[in-house]
Structure formats: structure tokens, C-alpha cells
Amino acid sequence: MTTTETVVPEPTPEQAALFARVRRMMLIAGLTTALAVAAVLVAIGYRLFRPQGSTVTTEIIASLPRGARIVATGVAGDRLVLTLDIAGATEIRTFDAHTLKPTGTIRFVSQP
């Protein structure tokens, strides 16, 4: 029985240097891709498992002046906005939506 073997000639020094260079470039490209994929996975994991603030229930009693009534409520960004009618004068009070602490007051009064 006769078997035939494929004979691969030894690469020349120039070819060996070129092969080494290509291997090195492919290694760099593979490591860069792996680093990019790892960064994306870390960012996704951070967004999924990051705590969204405290879940402590807070009870706040805000007292209004006598005769005042709430005309409108709304949300603007991270603020809770209340529009009040106090004896014919309009007042806007804002509160932090997360802590419910007062952040500001605007009074509109008519000049005689």
C-alpha cells in the first residue's frame, strides 16, 4: 500500500515574519472585541441591578393656610408642583418628588 502525503514547504523568513505579524494583529483585535463586549455587559448589569433609591414609605403632613384650596397638581422633572388658591391669591409650592421636602414657593398677588 502506498500513501500519499502532502508536503508543506517550510515558510521563508519573510513569510514567517508576516505570519507572526498577522497572528499578533488578530490577537489584538480579539482582545479588543472581548474588552468591548465585557464593557457592554458591565453597563447592562449596572443598569439592571442598580438600586433605584430607597423604598422607605414616608408620611408627611403639609398644612395649608385657613381657607386655602388646591387648584392643580403636577410633576415637573423631579418636582411635585401644587397650585393653591389662598383667599383670591394664587400660590405655587414645589416639593422634591423623592423626599417630599419643600423646595420653593411663588406667590402671585393682585396690586390695587
Side-chain angles (χ1 to χ4, degrees):
M1 283 188 132
T2 311
T3 60
T4 59
E5 294 183 19
T6 306
V7 178
V8 179
E10 289 295 318
T12 64
E14 294 86 20
Q15 289 175 334
L18 180 64
F19 292 156
R21 185 174 177 195
V22 169
R23 281 190 197 108
R24 197 170 41 244
M25 288 187 342
M26 290 192 61
L27 180 64
I28 291 170
L31 291 175
T32 304
T33 302
L35 183 64
V37 169
V40 168
L41 291 176
V42 166
I44 290 171
Y46 174 76
R47 295 287 301 226
L48 287 176
F49 297 109
R50 178 179 51 144
Q52 295 293 328
S54 100
T55 58
V56 176
T57 304
T58 318
E59 182 178 335
I60 295 178
I61 298 173
S63 58
L64 297 176
R66 187 172 305 271
R69 66 184 186 91
I70 298 174
V71 178
T73 61
V75 177
D78 286 343
R79 301 282 187 249
L80 174 64
V81 181
L82 295 177
T83 305
L84 305 172
D85 180 23
I86 305 172
T90 303
E91 182 174 301
I92 298 174
R93 294 185 182 183
T94 58
F95 301 87
D96 184 86
H98 300 290
T99 62
L100 298 178
K101 292 183 180 177
T103 58
T105 300
I106 301 174
R107 288 190 183 99
F108 299 98
V109 293
S110 299
Q111 293 187 357

